[in-house]
Amino acid sequence: GFDSMTIVGADMAGNFATPLQADAYVYGEMYRDGGTPITTFRMVDIRRTGLSGWLTVQGQPGDPPRTFADRVVDSLENQERVARYAKECNMRRDRSEFRRARQAAERAFEMYPNHPTTAQCMNYVFQGMQAPEDSVLWVLEKWTRGDSLNLRAWADLARAAQRAGDTTRAVTAVTQQLAADPADTNLRYA
């Protein structure tokens, strides 16, 4: 049994991923809330694997460790399936096959409505299709909901909101970006 355990810390995971030339990395923690086992992971995509976002798996009080472990593995396998669609979206987008990229993204969103890598891909697809600004804002909101610590998502949302004349949304996005990276003094001064 465990009361609380860090699988790999965020700083440690990023520091290991870079020299190992990893395509993506996952970090998280396991803990108990009363008798309920819970694990939370953050998946960070480095080289367009499509694996990104947050995953929380909650067990049932009294579950044997194997049952909880199986639930975690199943959840991670689902994330891998979604990542394939996100990767396809990026591949199609690179070829300017915007309609097919959008189809792949829609399949990913069916499984994970706010999948960050998929939302990022759709942002670029919408830009390539010269979609209306409200479509761009919609997908950028999905991106930030899928990964609230993604600085680029917040920055892109702030710029898009500013282009759309939505000052309140732009300021909110910059505030959230600063909350995700409070050490960014340039952003703080801006």
Side-chain angles (χ1 to χ4, degrees):
F2 61 88
D3 290 327
S4 179
M5 171 176 74
T6 298
I7 297 168
V8 176
D11 294 338
M12 190 183 306
N15 291 340
F16 282 133
T18 304
L20 294 174
Q21 299 179 342
D23 293 331
Y25 63 93
V26 178
Y27 67 89
E29 66 178 348
M30 297 176 119
Y31 56 94
R32 285 192 185 274
D33 184 4
T36 305
I38 300 172
T39 186
T40 302
F41 295 107
R42 180 165 188 240
M43 298 158 287
V44 181
D45 192 0
I46 298 173
R47 290 189 182 80
R48 298 176 60 169
T49 64
L51 194 63
S52 65
W54 291 90
L55 173 65
T56 299
V57 180
Q58 184 171 335
Q60 298 296 319
D63 273 352
R66 175 66 184 216
T67 302
F68 181 63
D70 288 344
R71 189 173 288 137
V72 170
V73 168
D74 289 346
S75 297
L76 287 170
E77 285 175 350
N78 286 337
Q79 292 299 317
E80 193 273 330
R81 281 192 280 282
V82 173
R84 280 189 239 143
Y85 288 123
K87 192 172 183 176
E88 180 183 350
C89 179
N90 280 315
M91 179 190 69
R92 301 286 183 193
R93 184 208 70 199
D94 289 348
R95 296 179 186 162
S96 296
E97 297 174 5
F98 298 130
R99 186 181 62 75
R100 294 182 78 186
R102 187 173 183 168
Q103 289 171 344
E106 287 169 357
R107 287 192 298 269
F109 284 146
E110 287 172 11
M111 298 171 70
Y112 188 156
N114 297 316
H115 189 257
T117 300
T118 304
Q120 180 182 19
C121 178
M122 279 303 297
N123 179 41
Y124 297 132
V125 167
F126 282 162
Q127 289 175 16
M129 296 172 67
Q130 297 180 343
E133 202 65 46
D134 62 332
S135 296
V136 173
L137 289 168
W138 170 79
V139 81
L140 289 171
E141 290 281 349
K142 289 176 93 52
W143 191 3
T144 59
R145 280 192 300 273
D147 188 354
S148 61
L149 295 179
N150 191 307
L151 302 175
R152 185 170 183 179
W154 289 115
D156 285 1
L157 178 58
R159 281 192 296 277
Q162 199 168 26
R163 281 192 311 269
D166 189 340
T167 306
T168 303
R169 188 184 273 176
V171 169
T172 300
V174 170
T175 302
Q176 292 297 323
Q177 182 182 3
L178 189 56
D181 184 12
D184 187 340
T185 54
N186 291 332
L187 184 61
R188 188 172 299 280
Y189 289 131

